[in-house]
Amino acid sequence: MPELPEVETIVRDLSGMVTEAVIAGADVVKEDLIIGPVDDFVERLQGRTIGSVTRRAKNLVFDLGADRMVVNLGMTGRMMVRQDSAPDLTHIGVRFPLEDGRFLIYQDVRRFGNLRVVTPEEFDAWSERQGMEPLSGDFTPAFLHRLSRHSRMAVKPWLMDQKRVVGVGNIYASEALHRARISPRKAARRLTRKETTRLHEAIQAVLQSAIDFRGTTLLDYRDASGERGAFSRELRVYDRAGEPCRVCATPIRRIVQGGRSTFYCPSCQK
DNA sequence: AACGCGCCCTGTCCGC
DNA sequence: TGCGGACAGGGCGCGT
């Protein structure tokens, strides 16, 4: 579920809510969510102060001083702050009681998400293996164009591959390509310089706009307070098969690429 | 190396 | 009402 804007929204919220909070413990309800030994995970969290909450790619990163906790939300993961232990919630994966009496709750219906504790050195090594942050200054039209030269893949699944550029998932890949007026089926290496320039601009614009609207909620996504994202209403093509293109009124089409739905306007995106 | 595919898991919706 | 199949914001590991 969560792509860059959703994770960024959660991170900013959590940053204001739990920075300087002390983690009293970790009640691991679903052990398969934890990467590595569960007892080690719990031990390394207990009594630690949350120094900061940041984002790398689609992951939440909690700085705990000696270690870092990295959380990937998968499709249906949620990280929320509650005043109680959230007895009303189903599918709770991990409860983190805070010393001030509140609870940090990790909830995940499908359990595609995961949590792990790593050393700063392990974190840096992992971070270096990730693709580029699309909202960073290093992400330039020239960089995107150079990357695209090598791949015969269709640009839409190509864009979603996190080893190149991170944060763009199924929704924002379709949305960015529509804004850039590029067919999702076009081979990455066939993109012209003008197209990669438009795509660069479209990626940054759609991600920034989605952050401003606090993310997209289709079904499961919730922010750290349990609220929905408002970008759903701003979507131009995603989940709009058969509905008129907001630019030219041509019915939006749905195709499958790499087992995932792609939405596009056959008229705007040649 | 690059790429396509199946799979992990639970819930919902749609057609019959 | 029941049931099978398709589908859902991700990512890993496999084979070719």
Side-chain angles (χ1 to χ4, degrees):
Chain A
M1 140 210 119
E3 303 182 35
L4 186 151
E6 290 75 34
V7 178
E8 182 66 24
T9 299
I10 295 171
V11 160
R12 291 182 186 183
D13 285 359
L14 286 178
S15 195
M17 292 188 273
V18 300
T19 297
E20 296 304 308
V22 178
I23 299 174
D27 173 17
V28 180
V29 182
K30 303 278 196 243
E31 301 207 338
D32 61 348
L33 291 169
I34 310 300
I35 295 178
V38 175
D39 49 0
D40 179 63
F41 175 83
V42 174
E43 196 178 310
R44 290 165 74 183
L45 287 171
Q46 226 144 28
R48 294 292 180 76
T49 301
I50 299 173
S52 66
V53 188
T54 52
R55 179 188 59 75
R56 176 69 175 107
K58 297 175 190 169
N59 301 270
L60 310 173
V61 182
F62 295 79
D63 191 329
L64 306 170
D67 287 321
R68 292 182 191 172
M69 177 168 71
V70 180
V71 180
N72 186 288
L73 302 171
M75 288 282 229
T76 54
R78 296 174 178 172
M79 189 67 94
M80 296 173 295
V81 176
R82 299 270 305 224
Q83 301 300 320
D84 56 23
S85 62
D88 54 314
L89 295 186
T90 56
H91 301 291
I92 289 183
V94 186
R95 279 191 182 87
F96 302 94
L98 304 178
E99 284 197 349
D100 57 26
R102 295 178 300 162
F103 288 81
L104 187 59
I105 304 283
Y106 180 75
Q107 183 191 32
D108 192 346
V109 171
R110 293 174 72 182
R111 303 205 306 282
F112 286 173
N114 60 67
L115 304 86
R116 61 189 190 275
V117 173
V118 297
T119 64
E121 293 72 30
E122 288 168 335
F123 177 83
D124 291 341
W126 166 81
S127 183
E128 278 169 27
R129 292 195 303 272
Q130 307 302 302
M132 182 173 287
E133 287 290 339
L135 296 180
S136 75
D138 291 339
F139 182 64
T140 61
F143 170 83
L144 188 64
H145 192 259
R146 215 178 314 120
L147 263 190
S148 69
R149 296 301 75 199
H150 309 291
S151 180
R152 311 173 113 80
M153 274 177 84
V155 61
K156 193 267 190 168
W158 178 81
L159 205 49
M160 289 174 65
D161 189 329
Q162 304 294 298
K163 73 171 179 272
R164 292 180 266 265
V165 178
V166 301
V168 179
N170 209 36
I171 292 180
Y172 300 113
S174 282
E175 292 296 312
L177 287 166
H178 181 262
R179 288 179 183 228
R181 307 192 307 279
I182 297 169
S183 166
R185 297 192 227 240
K186 186 157 188 172
R189 64 194 304 209
R190 301 262 179 251
L191 295 176
T192 64
R193 200 168 275 281
K194 280 187 177 175
E195 286 175 324
T196 49
T197 298
R198 288 207 305 272
L199 183 55
H200 169 270
E201 163 70 20
I203 290 169
Q204 292 201 325
V206 74
L207 293 178
Q208 189 53 58
S209 182
I211 291 170
D212 295 341
F213 280 89
R214 302 186 54 80
T216 301
T217 295
L218 293 178
L219 280 161
D220 300 296
Y221 169 70
R222 296 293 186 277
D223 66 22
S225 303
E227 300 294 322
R228 298 162 169 270
F231 197 71
S232 327
R233 289 190 294 276
E234 308 299 316
L235 295 174
R236 300 188 187 181
V237 289
Y238 192 88
D239 207 23
R240 296 192 63 240
E243 294 173 48
C245 171
R246 299 196 196 283
V247 175
C248 73
T250 302
I252 298 301
R253 204 169 281 177
R254 172 186 178 272
I255 58 172
V256 176
Q257 294 179 291
R260 315 292 302 276
S261 290
T262 298
F263 299 87
Y264 71 105
C265 170
S267 173
C268 293
Q269 299 170 262
K270 298 293 188 189

